[in-house]
Amino acid sequence: MTSARSNLIAMLERVADGGDVTAQELDKVIPDPLVLDEREKTAWEELSHWADDDDIRAKDIKYAASKREWMRGHLSTLRDIDWHPQPPSIHQRIKVGFWLAVFLFSGASYQLRWGIFGGYDKQVTVALLFAGLWIMLPMLGSLKRH
């Protein structure tokens, strides 16, 4: 976790718990928001709006409460764990490519009534669908979560 993210989390917690953040504090902690990732930049923008809207929050309690809820939402987003993507290996790519070719061939045989599998085209296609899910299941862990 970067120091910018930890500072953003601390400021979001302060606002969500009923505290306040000023524009000067935000600028001091994060002088260059352009270096932030997408989620951090969104949270920074929300904190910046919070600092600028103190007059509106003073007049409208519901507005302030809804903004505090937004801060809680940004907190959960920033606290999410990043999964680091792992590209598929050459072995996985070959396996999936072979599966795709056979699956498309059997699907075409079923749809076009070629009868390549002796009347079992539909069953072969369904079996290949489940085999494909089984082949791709280990790759799901390499996805990146936001």
Side-chain angles (χ1 to χ4, degrees):
M1 183 183 310
T2 64
S3 65
R5 183 174 288 195
S6 60
N7 288 330
L8 282 170
I9 288 173
M11 293 178 131
L12 287 167
E13 284 174 341
R14 187 173 2 147
V15 171
D17 292 338
D20 202 8
V21 170
T22 64
Q24 292 79 16
E25 286 177 291
L26 192 57
D27 291 339
K28 183 180 176 186
V29 172
I30 301 170
D32 185 15
L34 297 176
V35 299
L36 301 174
D37 72 19
E38 183 180 333
R39 293 179 289 166
E40 293 170 344
K41 198 175 293 183
T42 303
W44 178 86
E45 288 172 355
E46 196 62 44
L47 282 167
S48 179
H49 291 308
W50 174 268
D52 294 339
D53 292 347
D54 57 346
D55 57 331
I56 298 171
R57 288 192 320 273
K59 295 175 189 174
D60 189 355
I61 306 276
K62 288 182 182 179
Y63 176 78
S66 70
K67 285 294 208 178
R68 289 188 197 280
E69 279 302 313
W70 283 14
M71 300 300 170
R72 287 184 188 93
H74 289 297
L75 269 172
S76 66
T77 301
L78 288 180
R79 286 181 178 154
D80 275 350
I81 298 170
D82 287 335
W83 294 343
H84 300 287
Q86 175 187 358
S89 68
I90 191 69
H91 177 71
Q92 290 172 324
R93 290 174 192 236
I94 290 171
K95 190 167 36 172
V96 169
F98 179 74
W99 169 82
L100 183 61
V102 173
F103 179 73
L104 290 175
F105 183 72
S106 71
S109 176
Y110 169 66
Q111 292 294 328
L112 300 174
R113 293 172 180 40
W114 291 342
I116 303 255
F117 297 104
Y120 292 102
D121 295 324
K122 184 177 182 180
Q123 291 86 345
V124 170
T125 303
V126 170
L128 284 170
L129 176 67
F130 285 112
L133 292 173
W134 180 74
I135 289 170
M136 292 181 212
L137 192 62
M139 293 183 217
L140 291 179
S142 66
L143 297 177
K144 188 171 185 176
R145 182 174 129 188
H146 290 284

